[in-house]
Amino acid sequence: MNSLDDFAARKLAALDRGALRRTLVETARGALYVERNGRRLLSFSCNDYLNLSQHPEIKAAAVAATERYGVGSGASRLVTGNHPLYAALEARLARLKGTEAACVFGSGFLANTGIIPALIGPDDLVVLDELAHACLWAGARLSRAAALAFRHNDVGHAEELLRAHRARHPRALIATDGVFSMDGDLAPLIALGALARRYDAWLLADDAHGIGIIGGGRGSTFAGATPADVPLQMGTLSKAIGAYGGYLCASQPVVALMHNRARTLIYSTGLPPATVAAAIAALDLIARDPAYAARPLAKARAFARRAGLPEPQSPIVPIILGTAQAALAASRRLEDAGFLAVAIRPPTVPEGTARLRLAFTAAHPDDAIERLADLVRERVPA
Ligand SMILES: Cc1ncc(COP(=O)(O)O)c(C=O)c1O
């Protein structure tokens, strides 16, 4: 074996030993059910919280955009890829989030890895929640700023770090998920916003799992009685919005700076017109029926009550099992009963906290939720 293949094979063998090796499983998705390994399973592992990826009106919008503008966008947005649908999408996003402007990126991952290095550099400081999504950490590392982790949702610890380090850096950023992707809890954005103001730091909240479902569909910044002060509201169009792409909602100058400095925007091709049209149609649907946005959380709460689990704050319900083997075994037991709940293992979650991560959607049938809850209460872990 040559050294490259030998390297890969040894890495994979180590993953196998820890039950941490991942494989791609072919999955044909419908609105609720998936076909996988020759079986039809009711999925609790899709982030399509409003089931919009399969909505006829949204599919029709995507088809119409392809007919009108073609399949690909042909170039970076800064060159010729800025097709007319972008302006309509960005106007809707800015309106939803209450900001002056918005900037759409190729994905949520590309957004965070573009936004952070456009704002801070090697002399600066970034303070992140220890459970912040991998792409916030990737953006922080790309910026080469000093990156410090505060304990999960611990505003006091974030303040300690700022008190000790802020004065040595010209600029500082606080970065957190708004809804934590693997735990489903919400960040204390009101307290973090106030902290950021006290230390002249800029707050970036990643609302990938909040837009469309939390705060009447406006996202986690709007989860409380009054909106949090979050000047950098980032998120993705790939989950509740049912399409693809990332965004930043912010002031006019910040968005104009992204057009000039965010390398993942400048040096990457614009989104396909169909994807942008789908996101516009989804946002229109959400705006027309804000009550629909509340359904995934209501379903998650009904499940948790019956399963004897703590009340969730979002449609994400973790069932922490500890070892990777335990999480895989629990996932198999649910699969035998017709449910898809993919095991989430390190390094996606911290060592010793492998879990099932259940994601509830607006259309999950109540009787299936009850069956799943009974199974979880009685048989997970077995
Ligand atoms: C919290 C969070 N941020 C960002 C992303 C990345 O978004 P995208 O899938 O659009 O790249 C994800 C998941 O994919 C996420 O869970």
Side-chain angles (χ1 to χ4, degrees):
M1 216 186 259
N2 64 41
S3 64
L4 173 60
D5 292 345
D6 181 53
F7 164 78
R10 277 191 285 111
K11 283 276 184 200
L12 290 171
L15 292 174
D16 273 331
R17 282 194 294 280
L20 294 174
R21 181 163 174 174
R22 288 104 184 276
T23 51
L24 296 173
V25 182
E26 194 170 288
T27 306
R29 288 186 57 247
L32 280 173
Y33 285 86
V34 299
E35 279 177 34
R36 221 166 132 98
N37 298 324
R39 296 196 57 200
R40 186 166 173 272
L41 302 167
L42 181 59
S43 175
F44 287 88
S45 287
C46 299
N47 297 316
D48 191 7
Y49 299 109
L50 298 173
N51 315 97
L52 294 182
S53 74
Q54 310 286 334
H55 195 287
E57 243 177 76
I58 296 173
K59 286 188 195 174
V63 170
T66 302
E67 292 293 349
R68 171 105 203 259
Y69 297 110
V71 176
S73 70
S76 159
R77 292 189 63 188
L78 270 294
V79 183
T80 54
N82 195 41
H83 49 78
L85 297 170
Y86 269 115
L89 176 56
E90 289 174 341
R92 278 168 179 76
L93 285 167
R95 196 178 325 129
L96 184 73
K97 299 287 185 174
T99 58
E100 283 176 5
C103 177
V104 169
F105 289 77
S107 73
F109 204 108
L110 288 170
N112 277 335
T113 48
I115 296 163
I116 298 177
L119 294 173
I120 55 169
D123 295 337
D124 299 324
L125 174 67
V126 52
V127 179
L128 303 100
D129 188 289
E130 62 184 344
L131 297 186
H133 191 264
C135 58
L136 283 170
W137 282 99
R141 290 194 182 110
L142 272 176
S143 76
R144 294 187 290 139
L148 302 175
F150 60 90
R151 286 188 295 273
H152 178 49
N153 274 349
D154 185 339
V155 181
H157 189 213
E159 174 149 26
E160 261 173 52
L161 296 176
L162 286 166
R163 199 182 305 122
H165 300 276
R166 175 68 184 94
R168 287 202 292 280
H169 302 277
R171 285 169 293 274
L173 185 74
I174 302 175
T176 182
D177 290 17
V179 178
F180 285 86
S181 57
M182 295 297 136
D183 293 84
D185 53 343
L186 305 193
L189 289 182
I190 291 181
L192 286 173
L195 178 69
R197 261 197 318 280
R198 279 202 301 286
Y199 285 85
D200 186 24
W202 306 325
L203 178 59
L204 167 62
D206 176 337
D207 208 28
H209 297 273
I211 186 171
I213 34 180
I214 301 294
R218 299 185 73 193
S220 50
T221 296
F222 302 90
T226 52
D229 182 4
V230 184
L232 300 161
Q233 298 185 60
M234 171 272 163
T236 178
L237 304 166
S238 64
K239 301 185 194 297
I241 307 304
Y244 198 68
Y247 64 84
L248 174 67
C249 292
S251 65
Q252 287 283 6
V254 168
V255 165
L257 182 67
M258 293 302 137
H259 298 163
N260 287 274
R261 281 286 177 272
R263 296 172 70 81
T264 55
L265 180 84
I266 299 168
Y267 298 107
S268 188
T269 300
L271 283 167
T275 306
V276 178
I280 294 170
L283 289 171
D284 286 349
L285 267 163
I286 292 167
R288 246 187 278 149
D289 186 4
Y292 191 65
R295 283 179 62 170
L297 177 57
K299 301 262 175 185
R301 288 195 165 151
F303 165 81
R305 267 195 306 278
R306 190 159 171 130
L309 295 168
E311 178 167 270
Q313 294 176 284
S314 77
I316 301 166
V317 180
I319 302 170
I320 301 193
L321 294 156
T323 64
Q325 288 86 348
L328 288 169
S331 174
R332 274 194 298 270
R333 275 197 295 283
L334 294 187
E335 187 165 334
D336 289 343
F339 298 113
L340 180 65
V342 173
I344 308 288
R345 296 167 282 166
T348 305
V349 291
E351 204 58 55
T353 70
R355 68 194 66 185
L356 300 181
R357 170 196 181 271
L358 303 176
F360 289 83
T361 73
H364 272 122
D366 293 335
D367 57 341
I369 290 175
E370 287 172 9
R371 267 193 304 120
L372 179 67
D374 294 346
L375 205 58
V376 165
R377 207 184 45 235
E378 287 154 20
R379 302 227 29 224
V380 175

